[in-house]
Amino acid sequence: MLTDPAFTIPPVPTGGPAVGIRWLRRHVARFANGADHDRRRLQVTSVLAEADLAGLRRLAAEHTRAVLDDADGRPVDLMTRVARVVPIDVLVAALGLPSVRAGAVAVVAKAYQPGSGPEKPADEAVRELVEAFGGSTDESVAAKIALLVQACDATAGLVGNAALAMLRNTNRPVETVVAETLQQNPPVRMTRRLAADTGTVVAVDLAASGLPFGAGPHQCPGRDHAIAITTGILESVQGCRLAEDNNDYEPSAALRVPAKLAVVR
Ligand code: HEM
């Protein structure tokens, strides 16, 4: 379904404020098909090409180490202090983007998929991000905002799932833990496509297909970046222990993201 042109991205809702979550969805590669998709995808891949992967990994390790240093032996919730913040901060730094509030990116991410979360706070957060990017509402600004939004929950989930696996079963190389997590406990479980013949929206099970980054024209362009960031974070979490073993996940059918991950160094 992901590579068959008879299955496309379902249409997104019309309306909403001039600048808001619906505006964002209507201007990004993720929710576009055909020529619009090709053009917008090129904007994202050219921005992502600016990042040096080894630099991203190093930066992610440094930011994580600073959070753990700051905790000075007290428990740290890795989800709120690291997994939801560090990927955004290091992408912004490595890609030379204007500084943004990671919290605003998270609010947009919650409502990015139509029907997934409240639109009003997301509208406000989109306006904040557009302002941070200089106020223009062209596709290139939407592409940069969307890149951070796409990275947000998916990378938080990968960091959380991989950190849990590493801390429950220590002494394995971080690269192995990340690769195994992507196959055994991937953060993005499913996506949707519109079947041209029946006009119905169908769910595509990414976890069961062993395609953690999808496939076809919409395949994740941030794969190598996400792996570099997650590996860097894990390097700095090595040597910590779980303060409590928690099995709660954020409520979501499409994502598997630990709700909390308390660790102590
Ligand atoms: C640096 C972090 C990341 C960035 C910048 C990023 C960026 C993106 C972008 C821009 C798209 C839309 C591409 C398009 O429609 O042409 C996308 C799609 C996707 N991403 Fe990522 N992503 C990141 C992390 C992740 C992670 C960690 C996962 C899961 C392991 C993931 C899984 C996916 C999947 C499955 C899709 C395709 C959805 C579909 O075909 O319906 N991404 N990503």
Side-chain angles (χ1 to χ4, degrees):
M1 279 188 265
L2 297 176
T3 52
D4 183 344
F7 292 88
T8 54
I9 300 285
V12 287
T14 55
V19 182
I21 185 70
R22 294 189 179 200
W23 163 83
L24 183 66
R25 294 191 201 113
R26 287 199 298 269
H27 287 81
V28 297
R30 176 64 185 82
F31 299 107
N33 293 297
D36 281 347
H37 173 256
D38 295 346
R39 185 182 64 252
R40 294 167 181 179
R41 172 128 183 146
L42 196 59
Q43 291 169 344
V44 184
T45 49
S46 355
V47 176
L48 283 170
E50 293 296 311
D52 154 40
L53 296 175
L56 262 182
R57 176 173 172 166
R58 196 173 48 248
L59 214 52
E62 282 169 15
H63 279 234
T64 306
R65 206 173 311 120
V67 171
L68 292 168
D69 284 349
D70 195 42
D72 199 21
R74 289 184 298 273
V76 174
D77 177 14
L78 219 55
M79 295 313 297
T80 47
R81 299 287 313 283
V82 173
R84 295 195 165 281
V85 183
V86 171
I88 304 304
D89 287 350
V90 301
L91 278 172
V92 163
L95 299 174
L97 301 176
S99 83
V100 295
R101 210 167 46 82
V105 178
V107 171
V108 179
K110 280 246 170 310
Y112 193 53
Q113 291 295 330
S116 62
E119 293 199 343
K120 239 188 165 48
D123 286 337
E124 275 165 37
V126 168
R127 280 194 288 275
E128 175 182 331
L129 294 172
V130 167
E131 280 309 308
F133 278 88
S136 151
T137 53
D138 62 23
E139 274 184 1
S140 75
V141 168
K144 290 172 192 156
I145 294 175
L147 176 161
L148 298 177
V149 171
Q150 292 268 163
C152 185
D153 283 342
T155 314
L158 181 57
V159 168
N161 295 341
L164 260 178
M166 181 177 82
L167 297 172
R168 282 175 179 162
N169 179 5
T170 49
N171 297 326
R172 286 174 311 144
V174 285
E175 289 83 358
T176 309
V177 175
V178 174
E180 277 179 12
T181 303
L182 283 166
Q183 286 309 313
Q184 294 166 10
N185 194 14
V188 183
R189 317 296 281 196
M190 60 89 96
T191 186
R192 291 188 177 86
R193 290 295 186 268
L194 175 69
D197 54 352
T198 58
T200 50
V201 173
V202 287
V204 184
D205 189 335
L206 297 171
S209 333
L211 295 169
F213 291 102
H218 289 270
Q219 181 169 26
C220 180
R223 176 186 179 277
D224 294 346
H225 304 71
I227 292 175
I229 293 169
T230 305
T231 312
I233 292 176
L234 256 58
E235 256 168 19
S236 291
V237 175
Q238 249 176 346
C240 290
R241 65 174 172 80
L242 286 171
E244 56 191 71
D245 207 346
N246 165 60
N247 273 315
D248 293 340
Y249 287 84
E250 299 279 351
S252 166
L255 296 169
R256 188 162 162 88
V257 183
K260 194 179 169 205
L261 214 177
V263 304
V264 190
R265 184 160 69 182

